[in-house]
Every structure is written in C-alpha cells, then in structure tokens.
Amino acid sequence: MDDRRSYADVVPISPYVRGLRSQVGHSLLLLPGVTAVIRREDRFLLAKQRDTQLWSLIGGGIEPGEQPEAAIAREVEEELGVAPNVGRIIGAYGGPELMNTYPNGDHVSYVTIAYDCSLVSNSFDLEQQELIDVAWLDIDSISGLAHHTWIDRVLADAGR
C-alpha cells in the first residue's frame, strides 16, 4: 500500500472515524467495536480479512448513537449478507493485542464486545472489499492458521 494513501482508501471506515482522523491525524484513537462469535456445534465461523490476510471473527465498529446489539447485527449482515440472531454477551476485550498501527500510520486501540450469534442461513454473500473467504473451523484448526491472536481469548470464553 502507498503510505500516502489513507487506510480508508483500502478498507472502508465510517464517516465518524474519517472526521476524527481529519482532526487528530495519525494519533491514537480508542474505538468501540463488536465481535460476532458464530458457531455450529464445535466449529466457529471465521473470515479471512483482505487487509491483513489474517483469519478473524466477524465484527466492526459501533457508530455514534448505535446500540452494540444493533451494531453486531449490522456488521454481520454487511459482511456476510445474512441477518444474525444476536444472543448473550460473551465478554469485553481490549488491551495491547487489540492495538494496531495501519500502513498509513493511523494508530488505533479497539475495545470490543463479543456476542454469541447464530445464523438462519449458511449461504453467504461476502463483502468483497473486506473479506476474502469464510470457513467453519474447530479450535485446533484455528490454532494452525495465521489469525488475530486476541480471538483465542474470545473463543475460550465462548466455550465456557
């Protein structure tokens, strides 16, 4: 990626974050997010992200004034083309594992609320700008893939 291009030129960001970036440049932003833990028996639905080439759970940012439950439903539908049933909160996650510096220099620290979700359909229409692929994977398979390591905590908590 050309470092002069914005991360938003490659991966969509909300108008809210775009506005913040216009004010603070590349400075650290603390951003709220949501994560969907979608499972089928002993397997979890993971997506390979286009920007990082890593496997992760489906999720995204909470928009100003948006309820977290609505945000996770919106994110799943945007990324998979399927409306989820949103269940219980699994946990809230943050810290060093959820900090990132994007290739253009933008610094972020995410705090995400993970929700147990289910799908009424397994036919997906992937959001091509963000996702390369999805797969149903068990814990052993996930550990062997290049993935965001913070999801290990989420999946462990989801299994309790």
Side-chain angles (χ1 to χ4, degrees), residues 144-157:
L145 293 176
H147 68 283
H148 288 285
T149 57
W150 64 269
I151 70 169
D152 295 336
R153 285 190 308 161
V154 177
L155 296 176
D157 290 349

Side-chain angles (χ1 to χ4, degrees), residues 15 21 45 61-62 82 90 105:
R21 284 283 169 222
L45 185 67
I62 301 171
V82 176
I90 293 168

